[in-house]
Amino acid sequence: LSSADLALARAFPKNFVWGAATAAYQIEGATQEDGREPSIWDMFAAIPGKVHQGDNGAIANNHYHLMQEDVELMSRLGLGGYRFSIAWPRIIPQGRGAVNAAGLDFYDRLVDTLLTKGITPFATLYHWDLPLALHQEGGWTNRDTAYAYADYAEIVARRLGDRVAGWMTLNEPWCSAYLGYGIGIHAPGEQDLQQAIDAGHHLLLAHGLALPRLRANSAPNASVGISLNFTPIYPADERAETLRDAERADLFVNRWFIEPLARGQYPGGLFAALEVEPPPVQAGDLELIGAPIDFLGVNNYTRDVVRGGTTPARADESIKVGPVPGACYTEMGWEIYPQALTDLLIRLHREYGMQALYIMENGAAFKDSWDGGDQVHDPRRVAYMQEYIGALASALEQGAPVRGYFVWSLMDNFEWAEGYAKRFGIVYVDYQTQRRIIKDSGLWYSALLEAWRANTVL
Ligand code: GBH
């Protein structure tokens, strides 16, 4: 570690949670084992042309079978927390009705294994793998899916609620709604903006219905929240039309979900900007949705820059301009801009009154190569993490109530529409052999955490 890294380690308080994140469909594999039924991602990935090179999650990282070894790896890295997701189609394979004991058993073992190693479990109840049977009844465009979800959430909490420290109801409902139903680049692949808006409402309702049921079935000190994706928008210049278009992009990208959650209201102008009708909101929905959460999970990777006058009629169409001269980009084509994380955290605190924030995802894809030895050099990821964790330290210093950081991802995995071609891990995965090799970024992160522990113990 450099002296700058040592100073960075000193910027974080002793109860800070340092972890790594994954999601069920991206790592587990074993999609046809122990009673699991298909999800929309099994269906979507089977459609030619939807996923890069026809990849799917059937085997993925085989984490379902390598769970113990993977937790051992987390322990070697010195992680204090682990964020994973629970596959609804393992727990209730048809989406509603019969509960599959083997599914609950798997996560029960995972949680116990984590606790044995002193790693705090943070669980996401929905990271995009909707049971296919529910999709056949309209999926998230059907209000009933929200009620089925709340039943599912309660069943999981009854089993794991005595040990899970933090629940996330949903991961990035913006992606489920817009990428899944609006433009169809994610499952289930629908392309209808009105459906996206309706699906978004039912996702929010699912969250609102589940909140009290999670609390009622969890330990008193467990906390319940949600993870949202944010891409801060910056104007390319100061012209009035640029400022106006940047506002409009921000409305669509960043405010659609946080405002009903934080204020019990959809942001004004959202539906008009998207040229859609408001979703079917029923009496009481917004009260449920706007009920206080214990923390907000923040997923942030990049920013977007917007220039006015180039923007088409609908708010979601081609909002980015670029490349930004002099800027660096990851393999996903996402600009590296750590200041956006600082700005975002301060905004969530000041403007939306969030009292506890966790970075639940932050990371970068690069072309990592492995020569068959026991090292993987990924200097660009090390630099990315240094800069983003530095940005986090400055948000903390300016008063943002940040409680933890989870890097995306613990290990390379199934990157949705990008298949296995994009690697986000701090641990390399050789899919042929399922060998895991800690990358230089993993070693760096581990050393940072060790330095932080050394400081805070003294
Ligand atoms: C997260 O999504 C996911 O939670 C995680 O599972 C995934 O592996 C990880 O990030 C890395 O991708 O060009 O229309 O997609 C992040 C999703 C990416 C959503 C950037 C917004 C820009 C708009 N975000 N994206 S679009």
Side-chain angles (χ1 to χ4, degrees):
L1 289 186
S2 67
S3 60
D5 292 335
L6 292 170
L8 186 56
R10 278 193 292 273
F12 293 88
K14 82 158 178 278
N15 54 357
F16 199 78
V17 183
W18 290 105
T22 63
Y25 190 70
Q26 297 183 271
I27 64 165
E28 287 178 359
T31 51
Q32 307 203 43
E33 289 179 51
D34 289 349
R36 182 190 180 277
E37 290 290 332
S39 79
I40 53 175
W41 267 95
D42 299 277
M43 169 201 77
F44 185 74
I47 303 170
K50 297 297 185 189
V51 176
H52 179 74
Q53 291 186 352
D55 291 345
N56 61 55
I59 300 173
N61 298 21
N62 197 22
H63 170 74
Y64 191 75
H65 295 293
L66 298 176
M67 182 272 282
Q68 306 266 359
E69 290 91 320
D70 288 338
V71 176
E72 179 56 44
L73 189 61
M74 297 174 213
S75 172
R76 272 199 282 147
L77 288 167
L79 302 187
Y82 175 52
R83 174 182 180 229
F84 59 97
S85 86
I86 294 171
W88 186 350
R90 286 195 195 283
I91 309 297
I92 308 182
Q94 300 298 331
R96 62 174 103 250
V99 176
N100 176 35
L104 283 170
D105 290 346
F106 172 71
Y107 298 104
D108 194 83
R109 288 196 304 276
L110 169 60
V111 166
D112 280 345
T113 309
L114 290 167
L115 292 173
T116 305
K117 298 282 179 189
I119 300 169
T120 304
F122 286 77
T124 307
L125 286 152
Y126 184 73
H127 200 125
W128 307 354
D129 43 1
L130 185 73
L132 188 59
L134 293 180
H135 172 66
Q136 284 152 357
E137 297 167 18
W140 288 109
T141 65
N142 182 347
R143 184 176 172 95
D144 292 342
T145 298
Y147 296 98
Y149 169 86
D151 292 343
Y152 151 69
E154 174 168 341
I155 283 160
V156 175
R158 282 176 182 270
R159 181 68 178 269
L160 306 179
D162 57 335
R163 286 158 292 154
V164 165
W167 293 110
M168 280 144 281
T169 53
L170 305 173
N171 177 68
E172 303 185 349
W174 185 96
C175 291
S176 299
Y178 180 67
L179 305 183
Y181 292 87
I183 56 172
I185 64 170
H186 280 185
E190 304 295 332
Q191 297 182 20
D192 176 348
L193 206 50
Q194 186 64 54
Q195 282 191 42
I197 293 298
D198 297 357
H201 184 65
H202 298 140
L203 283 151
L204 284 166
L205 179 63
H207 161 86
L209 290 166
L211 270 186
R213 298 173 69 174
L214 288 166
R215 288 205 174 101
N217 293 285
S218 297
N221 60 343
S223 50
V224 186
I226 185 170
S227 285
L228 301 181
N229 55 298
F230 294 97
T231 304
I233 307 289
Y234 292 78
D237 55 59
E238 296 301 315
R239 291 176 307 137
E241 65 249 67
T242 292
L243 299 179
R244 189 196 57 221
D245 286 355
E247 286 283 335
R248 196 178 72 149
D250 181 55
L251 173 65
F252 164 64
V253 173
N254 298 313
R255 294 168 56 200
W256 174 2
F257 287 88
I258 188 63
E259 296 208 4
L261 289 162
R263 300 180 178 161
Q265 253 185 307
Y266 281 105
L270 175 67
F271 307 122
L274 293 171
E275 300 177 348
V276 293
E277 296 300 319
V281 178
Q282 295 187 11
D285 287 3
L286 289 166
E287 287 71 19
L288 287 169
I289 293 165
I293 48 178
D294 302 319
F295 69 90
L296 178 69
V298 175
N299 298 0
N300 173 252
Y301 292 85
T302 186
R303 69 155 177 178
D304 280 344
V305 175
V306 165
R307 178 174 293 116
T310 56
T311 324
R314 226 174 66 182
D316 65 311
E317 285 170 337
S318 46
I319 46 184
K320 322 183 185 197
V321 297
V324 175
C328 296
Y329 291 82
T330 70
E331 238 1 76
M332 296 295 279
W334 299 347
E335 189 192 348
I336 301 174
Y337 194 77
Q339 180 66 39
L341 180 60
T342 310
D343 296 346
L344 170 63
L345 293 167
I346 292 169
R347 178 186 188 190
L348 290 169
H349 178 50
R350 293 205 187 138
E351 214 168 301
Y352 294 102
M354 291 296 143
Q355 297 302 316
L357 299 164
Y358 285 85
I359 310 310
M360 284 299 186
E361 288 183 26
N362 169 252
F366 292 110
K367 276 208 177 79
D368 302 312
S369 63
W370 178 53
D371 63 5
D374 49 20
Q375 295 186 329
V376 173
H377 302 303
D378 59 342
R380 303 221 289 155
R381 186 174 292 98
V382 173
Y384 180 99
M385 291 179 73
Q386 280 171 321
E387 291 171 20
Y388 271 82
I389 293 171
L392 189 56
S394 73
L396 258 177
E397 205 177 82
Q398 293 170 67
V402 189
R403 309 274 186 256
Y405 174 89
F406 292 71
V407 63
W408 185 271
S409 176
L410 172 69
M411 52 185 168
D412 298 335
N413 58 47
F414 176 73
E415 177 49 32
W416 306 113
E418 306 290 336
Y420 295 97
K422 297 288 188 288
R423 294 177 177 271
F424 275 91
I426 59 169
V427 173
Y428 186 91
V429 176
D430 175 46
Y431 294 105
Q432 296 304 310
T433 59
Q434 291 295 350
R435 189 169 153 196
R436 278 79 160 126
I437 300 108
I438 300 176
K439 299 180 193 177
D440 288 353
S441 57
L443 296 173
W444 176 82
Y445 191 48
S446 180
L448 181 79
L449 274 45
E450 197 178 303
W452 166 82
R453 270 193 305 274
N455 286 325
T456 56
V457 163
L458 292 175

